[in-house]
Amino acid sequence: MIRWISEDIGSSSHSQVERTSEIYIVDVRDLVDKPGNLPQVARNKINEGLGQLKSGKRVVVCCDYGMSRSNAVAAGILSRYQNIPFDAAVREVLMQTGEREIKVDVLAAVRTALEESSRNEGDKSAVLITGGSGFLGSALSEGLRESRKVFNPSRKEIDLLGGAVELDLFIRNHDVGCLVHLANPHVFNTNKAIGETLVMLKNVLDVCRTNSIRLIYPSGWEVFSGYKGDYNANESLPAQPKGVYGETKYLCELLLEQERRNYGLDYVLLRSGPIYGASSNRPKFIFNFLEKAVRNERIVTHRYENGFPRLDLLHVDDLTDAMLRIINSDYSGTLHVGSGRAISTAEIAQLIVKMTGSSSEIEHAQIGEYVANITMDSTRLKSILGWQPRITFEAGLESLLHQRRSSPALTT
């Protein structure tokens, strides 16, 4: 089936169109659907199509599936034929075909062939945050706006599950020099979320690679969740994930490293302990304890084979401070950030009961499994960037209680 982009230019899979006296096929199957296409080859395809258009033929650009190579070259032909910027032609192709899976590597080759590839290294003061309206994204945006241009495109503006083209065009239009990838599927702990998370990250990586964008990617302590017992995790501790979320983060980290090895991707991988703060309802157990304490209801914590689980809880303001320092630095590689103190869920329940003046009883349910008690070692972060945690858990918990007193409905 031919998808007509204009009256005279269309795209299709090669198997679904035939050459006629009125239609000329520009066969682009000899291009590759990945990095490596030479600009001259792409330029020859564009010139071939332009020549046929000038002779009065309608031109259909064809590749194997009619998705990426065909639409990229069709956009190049459209750009020259209508004398419009290539990015404008790409947007027209997206609108007319509804196709989102155009490889940005192929677009980059066509753009170079049209000699429209000129782009500075990006404005280092311009930062794009995916998932910028979320808990961490909102806090980070607020901190960045004092000194940088910050872009928080919505999911409707840039659908990372739909492809990389929209992000690529946005990056180029706003001359972004740094990208912080916080976007995740709404439900992130299912098997389906593994695939969605990797698709979103791969689209981000493709755009960062082709545009030489620095990437900041927050991972988490969950990549060590398969350990049994107490560990002070520095950057040299091998990952050992357990469970869907930990395994997802681990796979994302592997993908990052492969991009660095294969293409020299400039990135910072920041692993943190669980984050909390007054504008979130996570970790869920803290808010469950709070609600029960306010109602003087029984609070149940878990006790594993190796005792009560202990978490290195990090206030969002401390994590934001670390990320601001990273963005303002030239560091590349992996960093750990945490409060340096692991506190058990049983201790947290006791603190909440005491601070609220609750009469709730605390009980412990036995779990027939071992748990990883991970404290994040921030020594490297402190040494390189001078970061220190400022908010104790007790102070952070008090801020949550203040929020609870001022508004019974906890925000998400």
Side-chain angles (χ1 to χ4, degrees):
M1 180 181 69
I2 300 173
R3 294 179 294 184
W4 291 104
I5 300 161
S6 69
E7 184 178 346
D8 300 314
I9 302 171
S11 65
S12 176
S13 66
H14 193 271
S15 62
Q16 293 182 332
V17 65
E18 293 183 3
R19 193 185 303 267
T20 69
S21 59
E22 296 181 352
I23 293 178
Y24 182 88
I25 296 175
V26 177
D27 187 351
V28 296
R29 288 177 296 172
D30 48 345
L31 297 177
V32 294
D33 205 9
K34 56 185 177 180
N37 291 301
L38 296 179
Q40 184 60 51
V41 177
R43 188 179 301 116
N44 290 342
K45 298 294 183 181
I46 293 168
N47 290 336
E48 180 183 348
L50 289 172
Q52 294 300 319
L53 286 168
K54 291 175 181 177
S55 71
K57 293 286 187 76
R58 302 178 84 189
V59 167
V60 179
V61 188
C62 297
C63 61
D64 290 307
Y65 301 107
M67 294 169 58
S68 190
R69 290 165 290 176
S70 59
N71 282 313
V73 173
I77 296 172
L78 182 67
S79 171
R80 283 294 178 262
Y81 191 58
Q82 295 188 353
N83 194 28
I84 61 175
F86 179 62
D87 286 355
V90 172
R91 290 188 176 92
E92 184 67 15
V93 168
L94 294 177
M95 183 173 68
Q96 297 299 332
T97 67
E99 185 55 63
R100 293 295 183 269
E101 289 290 340
I102 306 176
K103 298 290 187 182
V104 293
D105 298 295
V106 184
L107 288 175
V110 175
R111 189 177 282 113
T112 301
L114 296 173
E115 299 180 348
E116 288 192 15
S117 61
S118 58
R119 178 184 185 272
N120 296 328
E121 293 183 358
D123 185 350
K124 297 301 183 183
S125 69
V127 180
L128 184 146
I129 305 175
T130 68
S133 62
F135 172 44
L136 178 56
S138 297
L140 182 60
S141 297
E142 184 178 349
L144 282 169
R145 285 196 177 99
E146 295 180 3
S147 59
R148 291 176 177 265
K149 291 182 288 186
V150 182
F151 300 99
N152 294 329
S154 66
R155 191 180 297 264
K156 184 177 180 180
E157 291 177 276
I158 297 177
D159 179 12
L160 290 175
L161 285 174
V165 182
E166 292 168 342
L167 178 61
D168 182 63
L169 293 173
F170 192 100
I171 286 284
R172 295 182 59 82
N173 186 46
H174 296 283
D175 202 24
V176 172
C178 179
L179 190 152
V180 182
H181 182 42
L182 304 179
N184 282 302
H186 287 304
V187 179
F188 57 84
N189 59 352
T190 64
N191 289 347
K192 179 182 177 182
I194 298 177
E196 291 180 346
T197 303
L198 289 171
V199 167
M200 294 168 77
L201 176 60
K202 186 61 172 69
N203 285 327
V204 167
L205 291 174
D206 287 349
V207 172
C208 287
R209 181 184 69 248
T210 57
N211 292 282
S212 300
I213 302 294
R214 183 175 184 236
L215 175 63
I216 313 296
Y217 182 72
S219 184
W221 73 274
E222 290 88 353
V223 298
F224 304 115
S225 55
Y227 283 101
K228 297 179 179 180
D230 299 349
Y231 285 83
N232 187 47
N234 61 26
E235 291 80 0
S236 63
L237 182 68
Q240 188 169 317
K242 182 179 180 181
V244 170
Y245 189 63
E247 290 163 353
T248 302
K249 284 296 186 183
Y250 176 62
L251 291 172
C252 288
E253 291 189 9
L254 291 179
L255 194 54
L256 281 171
E257 179 57 18
Q258 284 303 111
E259 290 285 327
R260 184 194 66 79
R261 291 179 179 177
N262 291 332
Y263 304 107
L265 176 73
D266 180 12
Y267 75 87
V268 179
L269 173 67
L270 182 65
R271 296 182 181 134
S272 75
I275 62 172
Y276 71 100
S279 298
S280 176
N281 65 349
R282 294 176 180 166
K284 290 285 189 181
F285 77 89
I286 293 179
F287 293 86
N288 292 339
F289 289 178
L290 277 172
E291 290 299 312
K292 290 182 178 180
V294 168
R295 298 188 182 102
N296 297 312
E297 296 175 352
R298 176 172 57 99
I299 297 174
V300 178
T301 67
H302 293 155
R303 178 163 47 201
Y304 287 75
E305 295 293 333
N306 56 326
F308 296 111
R310 297 191 297 117
L311 301 168
D312 184 356
L313 292 157
L314 182 67
H315 195 275
V316 65
D317 289 353
D318 282 334
L319 178 56
T320 299
D321 179 42
M323 295 185 72
L324 291 173
R325 291 169 185 261
I326 290 169
I327 292 170
N328 290 325
S329 75
D330 294 324
Y331 181 84
S332 294
T334 301
L335 290 170
H336 284 190
V337 58
S339 71
R341 171 196 176 193
I343 183 169
S344 74
T345 54
E347 292 176 272
I348 293 170
Q350 293 166 2
L351 280 170
I352 288 173
V353 168
K354 180 179 179 181
M355 288 181 175
T356 58
S358 173
S359 60
S360 293
E361 294 183 357
I362 301 173
E363 297 182 6
H364 311 301
Q366 186 66 39
I367 305 297
E369 182 61 278
Y370 288 85
V371 67
N373 298 320
I374 305 297
T375 305
M376 302 303 288
D377 186 341
S378 307
T379 301
R380 181 184 294 179
L381 177 63
K382 295 173 182 176
S383 173
I384 295 175
L385 300 179
W387 176 87
Q388 290 286 345
R390 296 172 297 173
I391 302 173
T392 65
F393 180 71
E394 286 78 5
L397 183 58
E398 182 57 45
S399 72
L400 296 181
L401 292 175
H402 176 75
Q403 178 197 31
R404 178 62 180 80
R405 295 185 188 106
S406 61
S407 177
L410 294 173
T411 58
T412 57

